[in-house]
Amino acid sequence: KAGVTQTPRYLIKTRGQQVTLSCSPISGHRSVSWYQQTPGQGLQFLFEYFSETQRNKGNFPGRFSGRQFSNSRSEMNVSTLELGDSALYLCASSIDRSRNYGYTFGSGTRLTVV
Amino acid sequence: AQSVTQLGSHVSVSEGALVLLRCNYSSSVPPYLFWYVQYPNQGLQLLLKYTSAATLVKGINGFEAEFKKSETSFHLTKPSAHMSDAAEYFCAVTPNQAGTALIFGKGTTLSVSS
């Protein structure tokens, strides 16, 4: 059974550019969440998508956005990149919005902004 | 508001010794609690979860945790440490309502010496 797949694994961007990260959840999982991990702030929730709709959002500026497709694959976009956006971005999938199943994480995309 | 505090950012043990990683939570509603492990350059792997059933939860790789409501704690233990247990461990909470936003602690790095 394939796990959560995140692409690309590594990315280097220049300040001011925009970036799109992709997440393919486990087959049959319909909920996808995104997290940002940095040494200073730790793991922080970005947003959650279920049935192509954003259901929950963390405390991040509007430069961070996402979407989910009909096949449950999700993308997140960061516009006007800042140096502080350098982080490991993790995607997690779950069968549905119930917490009973737990969340399976991908290996992440490491974004470096220079 | 929900929060998680992990006591000790770094714990060192000898191989074969008891592992104890501490986690205290704050929640205004009955929580669901999780322990995740992260190896270098990888995503998060679920060790175990508490979902209001049995208070003693057994997980993978010989880990277990006990939910103590009176102490608002969910400490992770393993009777005998292996070298392969060296990693970073995260405790997380999610409120007992719809949504998949995990609130993580700052993490504890476990070192195991021979």
PDB file of all heavy atoms in Angstrom, chain A residues 15-49:
ATOM      1  N   ARG A  15      13.777  34.626  -2.995  1.00  0.00           N
ATOM      2  CA  ARG A  15      12.841  35.532  -2.329  1.00  0.00           C
ATOM      3  C   ARG A  15      11.993  36.267  -3.358  1.00  0.00           C
ATOM      4  O   ARG A  15      12.517  36.758  -4.365  1.00  0.00           O
ATOM      5  CB  ARG A  15      13.635  36.520  -1.489  1.00  0.00           C
ATOM      6  CG  ARG A  15      12.859  37.275  -0.464  1.00  0.00           C
ATOM      7  CD  ARG A  15      13.796  38.036   0.441  1.00  0.00           C
ATOM      8  NE  ARG A  15      14.965  38.581  -0.248  1.00  0.00           N
ATOM      9  CZ  ARG A  15      15.876  39.315   0.334  1.00  0.00           C
ATOM     10  NH1 ARG A  15      15.797  39.589   1.624  1.00  0.00           N
ATOM     11  NH2 ARG A  15      16.898  39.766  -0.342  1.00  0.00           N
ATOM     12  N   GLY A  16      10.691  36.321  -3.128  1.00  0.00           N
ATOM     13  CA  GLY A  16       9.779  36.989  -4.032  1.00  0.00           C
ATOM     14  C   GLY A  16       9.099  36.061  -5.030  1.00  0.00           C
ATOM     15  O   GLY A  16       8.063  36.418  -5.611  1.00  0.00           O
ATOM     16  N   GLN A  17       9.683  34.900  -5.245  1.00  0.00           N
ATOM     17  CA  GLN A  17       9.064  33.940  -6.167  1.00  0.00           C
ATOM     18  C   GLN A  17       7.872  33.258  -5.497  1.00  0.00           C
ATOM     19  O   GLN A  17       7.589  33.465  -4.320  1.00  0.00           O
ATOM     20  CB  GLN A  17      10.081  32.869  -6.585  1.00  0.00           C
ATOM     21  CG  GLN A  17      11.137  33.357  -7.555  1.00  0.00           C
ATOM     22  CD  GLN A  17      12.019  32.212  -8.041  1.00  0.00           C
ATOM     23  OE1 GLN A  17      12.492  31.381  -7.250  1.00  0.00           O
ATOM     24  NE2 GLN A  17      12.251  32.163  -9.344  1.00  0.00           N
ATOM     25  N   GLN A  18       7.186  32.423  -6.258  1.00  0.00           N
ATOM     26  CA  GLN A  18       6.131  31.606  -5.687  1.00  0.00           C
ATOM     27  C   GLN A  18       6.469  30.136  -5.902  1.00  0.00           C
ATOM     28  O   GLN A  18       7.307  29.792  -6.734  1.00  0.00           O
ATOM     29  CB  GLN A  18       4.775  31.932  -6.297  1.00  0.00           C
ATOM     30  CG  GLN A  18       4.552  31.391  -7.689  1.00  0.00           C
ATOM     31  CD  GLN A  18       3.076  31.470  -8.100  1.00  0.00           C
ATOM     32  OE1 GLN A  18       2.264  32.156  -7.484  1.00  0.00           O
ATOM     33  NE2 GLN A  18       2.733  30.747  -9.154  1.00  0.00           N
ATOM     34  N   VAL A  19       5.826  29.265  -5.107  1.00  0.00           N
ATOM     35  CA  VAL A  19       6.136  27.852  -5.184  1.00  0.00           C
ATOM     36  C   VAL A  19       4.864  27.039  -4.989  1.00  0.00           C
ATOM     37  O   VAL A  19       3.948  27.462  -4.272  1.00  0.00           O
ATOM     38  CB  VAL A  19       7.189  27.476  -4.126  1.00  0.00           C
ATOM     39  CG1 VAL A  19       6.627  27.610  -2.705  1.00  0.00           C
ATOM     40  CG2 VAL A  19       7.707  26.063  -4.344  1.00  0.00           C
ATOM     41  N   THR A  20       4.811  25.880  -5.634  1.00  0.00           N
ATOM     42  CA  THR A  20       3.687  24.957  -5.471  1.00  0.00           C
ATOM     43  C   THR A  20       4.215  23.594  -5.060  1.00  0.00           C
ATOM     44  O   THR A  20       5.124  23.060  -5.693  1.00  0.00           O
ATOM     45  CB  THR A  20       2.885  24.819  -6.771  1.00  0.00           C
ATOM     46  OG1 THR A  20       2.359  26.099  -7.136  1.00  0.00           O
ATOM     47  CG2 THR A  20       1.732  23.849  -6.589  1.00  0.00           C
ATOM     48  N   LEU A  21       3.655  23.068  -3.994  1.00  0.00           N
ATOM     49  CA  LEU A  21       4.039  21.758  -3.480  1.00  0.00           C
ATOM     50  C   LEU A  21       2.866  20.800  -3.665  1.00  0.00           C
ATOM     51  O   LEU A  21       1.704  21.211  -3.549  1.00  0.00           O
ATOM     52  CB  LEU A  21       4.397  21.832  -1.984  1.00  0.00           C
ATOM     53  CG  LEU A  21       5.351  22.945  -1.562  1.00  0.00           C
ATOM     54  CD1 LEU A  21       5.624  22.862  -0.067  1.00  0.00           C
ATOM     55  CD2 LEU A  21       6.634  22.886  -2.344  1.00  0.00           C
ATOM     56  N   SER A  22       3.182  19.533  -3.898  1.00  0.00           N
ATOM     57  CA  SER A  22       2.136  18.566  -4.193  1.00  0.00           C
ATOM     58  C   SER A  22       2.107  17.441  -3.165  1.00  0.00           C
ATOM     59  O   SER A  22       3.147  17.054  -2.629  1.00  0.00           O
ATOM     60  CB  SER A  22       2.355  17.975  -5.583  1.00  0.00           C
ATOM     61  OG  SER A  22       1.371  17.009  -5.883  1.00  0.00           O
ATOM     62  N   CYS A  23       0.906  16.926  -2.920  1.00  0.00           N
ATOM     63  CA  CYS A  23       0.720  15.833  -1.967  1.00  0.00           C
ATOM     64  C   CYS A  23      -0.314  14.858  -2.510  1.00  0.00           C
ATOM     65  O   CYS A  23      -1.448  15.251  -2.809  1.00  0.00           O
ATOM     66  CB  CYS A  23       0.258  16.377  -0.618  1.00  0.00           C
ATOM     67  SG  CYS A  23      -0.219  15.108   0.574  1.00  0.00           S
ATOM     68  N   SER A  24       0.070  13.590  -2.623  1.00  0.00           N
ATOM     69  CA  SER A  24      -0.875  12.538  -3.000  1.00  0.00           C
ATOM     70  C   SER A  24      -1.137  11.681  -1.775  1.00  0.00           C
ATOM     71  O   SER A  24      -0.215  11.028  -1.266  1.00  0.00           O
ATOM     72  CB  SER A  24      -0.302  11.686  -4.129  1.00  0.00           C
ATOM     73  OG  SER A  24      -0.188  12.434  -5.315  1.00  0.00           O
ATOM     74  N   PRO A  25      -2.364  11.669  -1.278  1.00  0.00           N
ATOM     75  CA  PRO A  25      -2.660  10.907  -0.051  1.00  0.00           C
ATOM     76  C   PRO A  25      -2.719   9.414  -0.319  1.00  0.00           C
ATOM     77  O   PRO A  25      -2.687   8.976  -1.469  1.00  0.00           O
ATOM     78  CB  PRO A  25      -4.040  11.444   0.343  1.00  0.00           C
ATOM     79  CG  PRO A  25      -4.676  11.837  -0.951  1.00  0.00           C
ATOM     80  CD  PRO A  25      -3.546  12.356  -1.795  1.00  0.00           C
ATOM     81  N   ILE A  26      -2.805   8.664   0.749  1.00  0.00           N
ATOM     82  CA  ILE A  26      -3.009   7.226   0.632  1.00  0.00           C
ATOM     83  C   ILE A  26      -4.335   6.972  -0.086  1.00  0.00           C
ATOM     84  O   ILE A  26      -5.308   7.704   0.148  1.00  0.00           O
ATOM     85  CB  ILE A  26      -3.008   6.568   2.028  1.00  0.00           C
ATOM     86  CG1 ILE A  26      -1.603   6.628   2.634  1.00  0.00           C
ATOM     87  CG2 ILE A  26      -3.517   5.136   1.981  1.00  0.00           C
ATOM     88  CD1 ILE A  26      -1.526   6.166   4.070  1.00  0.00           C
ATOM     89  N   SER A  27      -4.352   5.965  -0.944  1.00  0.00           N
ATOM     90  CA  SER A  27      -5.569   5.652  -1.682  1.00  0.00           C
ATOM     91  C   SER A  27      -6.725   5.419  -0.714  1.00  0.00           C
ATOM     92  O   SER A  27      -6.625   4.654   0.252  1.00  0.00           O
ATOM     93  CB  SER A  27      -5.333   4.396  -2.529  1.00  0.00           C
ATOM     94  OG  SER A  27      -6.514   4.038  -3.215  1.00  0.00           O
ATOM     95  N   GLY A  28      -7.840   6.111  -0.969  1.00  0.00           N
ATOM     96  CA  GLY A  28      -9.001   5.989  -0.098  1.00  0.00           C
ATOM     97  C   GLY A  28      -9.078   7.033   0.985  1.00  0.00           C
ATOM     98  O   GLY A  28     -10.130   7.197   1.626  1.00  0.00           O
ATOM     99  N   HIS A  29      -7.986   7.743   1.229  1.00  0.00           N
ATOM    100  CA  HIS A  29      -8.003   8.828   2.210  1.00  0.00           C
ATOM    101  C   HIS A  29      -8.540  10.084   1.564  1.00  0.00           C
ATOM    102  O   HIS A  29      -8.127  10.459   0.462  1.00  0.00           O
ATOM    103  CB  HIS A  29      -6.584   9.086   2.746  1.00  0.00           C
ATOM    104  CG  HIS A  29      -6.127   8.065   3.723  1.00  0.00           C
ATOM    105  ND1 HIS A  29      -5.076   8.298   4.596  1.00  0.00           N
ATOM    106  CD2 HIS A  29      -6.562   6.816   3.992  1.00  0.00           C
ATOM    107  CE1 HIS A  29      -4.904   7.228   5.357  1.00  0.00           C
ATOM    108  NE2 HIS A  29      -5.781   6.316   5.008  1.00  0.00           N
ATOM    109  N   ARG A  30      -9.455  10.743   2.265  1.00  0.00           N
ATOM    110  CA  ARG A  30     -10.094  11.924   1.670  1.00  0.00           C
ATOM    111  C   ARG A  30      -9.733  13.225   2.370  1.00  0.00           C
ATOM    112  O   ARG A  30     -10.065  14.297   1.883  1.00  0.00           O
ATOM    113  CB  ARG A  30     -11.611  11.731   1.669  1.00  0.00           C
ATOM    114  CG  ARG A  30     -12.078  10.555   0.816  1.00  0.00           C
ATOM    115  CD  ARG A  30     -13.574  10.562   0.641  1.00  0.00           C
ATOM    116  NE  ARG A  30     -14.268  10.409   1.910  1.00  0.00           N
ATOM    117  CZ  ARG A  30     -15.524  10.792   2.119  1.00  0.00           C
ATOM    118  NH1 ARG A  30     -16.206  11.383   1.172  1.00  0.00           N
ATOM    119  NH2 ARG A  30     -16.093  10.596   3.296  1.00  0.00           N
ATOM    120  N   SER A  31      -9.064  13.130   3.523  1.00  0.00           N
ATOM    121  CA  SER A  31      -8.674  14.339   4.240  1.00  0.00           C
ATOM    122  C   SER A  31      -7.176  14.549   4.082  1.00  0.00           C
ATOM    123  O   SER A  31      -6.380  13.626   4.255  1.00  0.00           O
ATOM    124  CB  SER A  31      -9.021  14.204   5.726  1.00  0.00           C
ATOM    125  OG  SER A  31      -8.475  15.279   6.466  1.00  0.00           O
ATOM    126  N   VAL A  32      -6.796  15.761   3.735  1.00  0.00           N
ATOM    127  CA  VAL A  32      -5.384  16.121   3.595  1.00  0.00           C
ATOM    128  C   VAL A  32      -5.113  17.381   4.407  1.00  0.00           C
ATOM    129  O   VAL A  32      -5.835  18.373   4.277  1.00  0.00           O
ATOM    130  CB  VAL A  32      -5.007  16.359   2.122  1.00  0.00           C
ATOM    131  CG1 VAL A  32      -3.569  16.867   2.032  1.00  0.00           C
ATOM    132  CG2 VAL A  32      -5.172  15.082   1.310  1.00  0.00           C
ATOM    133  N   SER A  33      -4.073  17.314   5.237  1.00  0.00           N
ATOM    134  CA  SER A  33      -3.672  18.474   6.034  1.00  0.00           C
ATOM    135  C   SER A  33      -2.229  18.819   5.723  1.00  0.00           C
ATOM    136  O   SER A  33      -1.449  17.943   5.345  1.00  0.00           O
ATOM    137  CB  SER A  33      -3.799  18.169   7.532  1.00  0.00           C
ATOM    138  OG  SER A  33      -5.127  17.857   7.875  1.00  0.00           O
ATOM    139  N   TRP A  34      -1.888  20.075   5.916  1.00  0.00           N
ATOM    140  CA  TRP A  34      -0.529  20.547   5.672  1.00  0.00           C
ATOM    141  C   TRP A  34       0.026  21.175   6.940  1.00  0.00           C
ATOM    142  O   TRP A  34      -0.697  21.876   7.679  1.00  0.00           O
ATOM    143  CB  TRP A  34      -0.521  21.604   4.561  1.00  0.00           C
ATOM    144  CG  TRP A  34      -0.793  21.062   3.198  1.00  0.00           C
ATOM    145  CD1 TRP A  34      -2.011  20.888   2.597  1.00  0.00           C
ATOM    146  CD2 TRP A  34       0.187  20.643   2.232  1.00  0.00           C
ATOM    147  NE1 TRP A  34      -1.856  20.380   1.323  1.00  0.00           N
ATOM    148  CE2 TRP A  34      -0.524  20.227   1.071  1.00  0.00           C
ATOM    149  CE3 TRP A  34       1.574  20.576   2.215  1.00  0.00           C
ATOM    150  CZ2 TRP A  34       0.129  19.761  -0.071  1.00  0.00           C
ATOM    151  CZ3 TRP A  34       2.222  20.120   1.083  1.00  0.00           C
ATOM    152  CH2 TRP A  34       1.500  19.716  -0.052  1.00  0.00           C
ATOM    153  N   TYR A  35       1.324  20.935   7.156  1.00  0.00           N
ATOM    154  CA  TYR A  35       2.014  21.485   8.318  1.00  0.00           C
ATOM    155  C   TYR A  35       3.351  22.071   7.886  1.00  0.00           C
ATOM    156  O   TYR A  35       3.983  21.586   6.941  1.00  0.00           O
ATOM    157  CB  TYR A  35       2.273  20.392   9.370  1.00  0.00           C
ATOM    158  CG  TYR A  35       1.020  19.875  10.025  1.00  0.00           C
ATOM    159  CD1 TYR A  35       0.233  18.919   9.398  1.00  0.00           C
ATOM    160  CD2 TYR A  35       0.620  20.364  11.265  1.00  0.00           C
ATOM    161  CE1 TYR A  35      -0.930  18.467   9.994  1.00  0.00           C
ATOM    162  CE2 TYR A  35      -0.537  19.908  11.871  1.00  0.00           C
ATOM    163  CZ  TYR A  35      -1.311  18.964  11.223  1.00  0.00           C
ATOM    164  OH  TYR A  35      -2.469  18.516  11.812  1.00  0.00           O
ATOM    165  N   GLN A  36       3.769  23.102   8.606  1.00  0.00           N
ATOM    166  CA  GLN A  36       5.089  23.698   8.405  1.00  0.00           C
ATOM    167  C   GLN A  36       5.951  23.347   9.606  1.00  0.00           C
ATOM    168  O   GLN A  36       5.505  23.491  10.757  1.00  0.00           O
ATOM    169  CB  GLN A  36       4.976  25.221   8.275  1.00  0.00           C
ATOM    170  CG  GLN A  36       6.307  25.910   8.036  1.00  0.00           C
ATOM    171  CD  GLN A  36       6.232  27.407   8.275  1.00  0.00           C
ATOM    172  OE1 GLN A  36       5.998  27.850   9.393  1.00  0.00           O
ATOM    173  NE2 GLN A  36       6.436  28.188   7.220  1.00  0.00           N
ATOM    174  N   GLN A  37       7.172  22.875   9.362  1.00  0.00           N
ATOM    175  CA  GLN A  37       8.092  22.562  10.452  1.00  0.00           C
ATOM    176  C   GLN A  37       9.355  23.403  10.324  1.00  0.00           C
ATOM    177  O   GLN A  37      10.060  23.325   9.311  1.00  0.00           O
ATOM    178  CB  GLN A  37       8.451  21.072  10.464  1.00  0.00           C
ATOM    179  CG  GLN A  37       9.314  20.671  11.652  1.00  0.00           C
ATOM    180  CD  GLN A  37       9.612  19.182  11.701  1.00  0.00           C
ATOM    181  OE1 GLN A  37       9.562  18.485  10.696  1.00  0.00           O
ATOM    182  NE2 GLN A  37       9.903  18.671  12.896  1.00  0.00           N
ATOM    183  N   THR A  38       9.642  24.195  11.335  1.00  0.00           N
ATOM    184  CA  THR A  38      10.861  25.002  11.396  1.00  0.00           C
ATOM    185  C   THR A  38      11.522  24.794  12.749  1.00  0.00           C
ATOM    186  O   THR A  38      10.851  24.453  13.727  1.00  0.00           O
ATOM    187  CB  THR A  38      10.570  26.502  11.219  1.00  0.00           C
ATOM    188  OG1 THR A  38       9.688  26.923  12.281  1.00  0.00           O
ATOM    189  CG2 THR A  38       9.919  26.790   9.879  1.00  0.00           C
ATOM    190  N   PRO A  39      12.838  25.006  12.827  1.00  0.00           N
ATOM    191  CA  PRO A  39      13.529  24.842  14.115  1.00  0.00           C
ATOM    192  C   PRO A  39      12.990  25.779  15.198  1.00  0.00           C
ATOM    193  O   PRO A  39      12.913  25.406  16.358  1.00  0.00           O
ATOM    194  CB  PRO A  39      14.984  25.162  13.769  1.00  0.00           C
ATOM    195  CG  PRO A  39      15.103  24.874  12.307  1.00  0.00           C
ATOM    196  CD  PRO A  39      13.778  25.264  11.724  1.00  0.00           C
ATOM    197  N   GLY A  40      12.598  26.974  14.794  1.00  0.00           N
ATOM    198  CA  GLY A  40      12.153  27.949  15.784  1.00  0.00           C
ATOM    199  C   GLY A  40      10.714  27.777  16.239  1.00  0.00           C
ATOM    200  O   GLY A  40      10.411  27.854  17.435  1.00  0.00           O
ATOM    201  N   GLN A  41       9.825  27.523  15.312  1.00  0.00           N
ATOM    202  CA  GLN A  41       8.392  27.441  15.634  1.00  0.00           C
ATOM    203  C   GLN A  41       7.881  26.026  15.768  1.00  0.00           C
ATOM    204  O   GLN A  41       6.733  25.818  16.191  1.00  0.00           O
ATOM    205  CB  GLN A  41       7.582  28.172  14.555  1.00  0.00           C
ATOM    206  CG  GLN A  41       7.897  29.657  14.450  1.00  0.00           C
ATOM    207  CD  GLN A  41       7.602  30.386  15.740  1.00  0.00           C
ATOM    208  OE1 GLN A  41       6.577  30.170  16.382  1.00  0.00           O
ATOM    209  NE2 GLN A  41       8.537  31.237  16.157  1.00  0.00           N
ATOM    210  N   GLY A  42       8.683  25.041  15.401  1.00  0.00           N
ATOM    211  CA  GLY A  42       8.229  23.656  15.486  1.00  0.00           C
ATOM    212  C   GLY A  42       7.224  23.330  14.393  1.00  0.00           C
ATOM    213  O   GLY A  42       7.261  23.893  13.302  1.00  0.00           O
ATOM    214  N   LEU A  43       6.307  22.435  14.725  1.00  0.00           N
ATOM    215  CA  LEU A  43       5.298  21.985  13.772  1.00  0.00           C
ATOM    216  C   LEU A  43       4.037  22.814  13.933  1.00  0.00           C
ATOM    217  O   LEU A  43       3.448  22.857  15.002  1.00  0.00           O
ATOM    218  CB  LEU A  43       4.965  20.512  14.016  1.00  0.00           C
ATOM    219  CG  LEU A  43       5.966  19.505  13.486  1.00  0.00           C
ATOM    220  CD1 LEU A  43       5.947  18.228  14.309  1.00  0.00           C
ATOM    221  CD2 LEU A  43       5.665  19.198  12.020  1.00  0.00           C
ATOM    222  N   GLN A  44       3.631  23.459  12.842  1.00  0.00           N
ATOM    223  CA  GLN A  44       2.445  24.307  12.890  1.00  0.00           C
ATOM    224  C   GLN A  44       1.473  23.924  11.786  1.00  0.00           C
ATOM    225  O   GLN A  44       1.877  23.717  10.642  1.00  0.00           O
ATOM    226  CB  GLN A  44       2.841  25.780  12.743  1.00  0.00           C
ATOM    227  CG  GLN A  44       3.657  26.317  13.908  1.00  0.00           C
ATOM    228  CD  GLN A  44       3.938  27.797  13.741  1.00  0.00           C
ATOM    229  OE1 GLN A  44       4.767  28.212  12.949  1.00  0.00           O
ATOM    230  NE2 GLN A  44       3.208  28.607  14.490  1.00  0.00           N
ATOM    231  N   PHE A  45       0.206  23.872  12.138  1.00  0.00           N
ATOM    232  CA  PHE A  45      -0.856  23.518  11.212  1.00  0.00           C
ATOM    233  C   PHE A  45      -1.116  24.661  10.235  1.00  0.00           C
ATOM    234  O   PHE A  45      -1.271  25.818  10.631  1.00  0.00           O
ATOM    235  CB  PHE A  45      -2.122  23.203  12.015  1.00  0.00           C
ATOM    236  CG  PHE A  45      -3.359  23.012  11.203  1.00  0.00           C
ATOM    237  CD1 PHE A  45      -3.563  21.840  10.489  1.00  0.00           C
ATOM    238  CD2 PHE A  45      -4.334  23.998  11.168  1.00  0.00           C
ATOM    239  CE1 PHE A  45      -4.716  21.661   9.753  1.00  0.00           C
ATOM    240  CE2 PHE A  45      -5.487  23.829  10.438  1.00  0.00           C
ATOM    241  CZ  PHE A  45      -5.679  22.667   9.728  1.00  0.00           C
ATOM    242  N   LEU A  46      -1.153  24.307   8.952  1.00  0.00           N
ATOM    243  CA  LEU A  46      -1.456  25.294   7.908  1.00  0.00           C
ATOM    244  C   LEU A  46      -2.926  25.268   7.530  1.00  0.00           C
ATOM    245  O   LEU A  46      -3.634  26.253   7.668  1.00  0.00           O
ATOM    246  CB  LEU A  46      -0.598  25.019   6.674  1.00  0.00           C
ATOM    247  CG  LEU A  46       0.839  25.529   6.727  1.00  0.00           C
ATOM    248  CD1 LEU A  46       1.723  24.753   5.773  1.00  0.00           C
ATOM    249  CD2 LEU A  46       0.883  27.015   6.421  1.00  0.00           C
ATOM    250  N   PHE A  47      -3.388  24.149   6.981  1.00  0.00           N
ATOM    251  CA  PHE A  47      -4.788  23.999   6.608  1.00  0.00           C
ATOM    252  C   PHE A  47      -5.123  22.551   6.350  1.00  0.00           C
ATOM    253  O   PHE A  47      -4.247  21.698   6.212  1.00  0.00           O
ATOM    254  CB  PHE A  47      -5.189  24.855   5.394  1.00  0.00           C
ATOM    255  CG  PHE A  47      -4.099  25.153   4.406  1.00  0.00           C
ATOM    256  CD1 PHE A  47      -3.497  24.149   3.676  1.00  0.00           C
ATOM    257  CD2 PHE A  47      -3.667  26.459   4.205  1.00  0.00           C
ATOM    258  CE1 PHE A  47      -2.495  24.418   2.777  1.00  0.00           C
ATOM    259  CE2 PHE A  47      -2.664  26.750   3.296  1.00  0.00           C
ATOM    260  CZ  PHE A  47      -2.071  25.734   2.573  1.00  0.00           C
ATOM    261  N   GLU A  48      -6.443  22.309   6.283  1.00  0.00           N
ATOM    262  CA  GLU A  48      -6.971  20.975   6.051  1.00  0.00           C
ATOM    263  C   GLU A  48      -7.998  21.036   4.930  1.00  0.00           C
ATOM    264  O   GLU A  48      -8.812  21.964   4.875  1.00  0.00           O
ATOM    265  CB  GLU A  48      -7.645  20.433   7.310  1.00  0.00           C
ATOM    266  CG  GLU A  48      -8.357  19.096   7.107  1.00  0.00           C
ATOM    267  CD  GLU A  48      -9.601  18.950   7.943  1.00  0.00           C
ATOM    268  OE1 GLU A  48      -9.886  19.808   8.789  1.00  0.00           O
ATOM    269  OE2 GLU A  48     -10.313  17.940   7.741  1.00  0.00           O
ATOM    270  N   TYR A  49      -7.944  20.044   4.053  1.00  0.00           N
ATOM    271  CA  TYR A  49      -8.912  19.940   2.967  1.00  0.00           C
ATOM    272  C   TYR A  49      -9.646  18.612   3.042  1.00  0.00           C
ATOM    273  O   TYR A  49      -9.047  17.570   3.371  1.00  0.00           O
ATOM    274  CB  TYR A  49      -8.229  20.080   1.610  1.00  0.00           C
ATOM    275  CG  TYR A  49      -7.840  21.496   1.311  1.00  0.00           C
ATOM    276  CD1 TYR A  49      -6.615  22.012   1.752  1.00  0.00           C
ATOM    277  CD2 TYR A  49      -8.708  22.354   0.643  1.00  0.00           C
ATOM    278  CE1 TYR A  49      -6.281  23.322   1.520  1.00  0.00           C
ATOM    279  CE2 TYR A  49      -8.368  23.673   0.403  1.00  0.00           C
ATOM    280  CZ  TYR A  49      -7.153  24.142   0.853  1.00  0.00           C
ATOM    281  OH  TYR A  49      -6.819  25.457   0.628  1.00  0.00           O
TER     282      TYR A  49
END
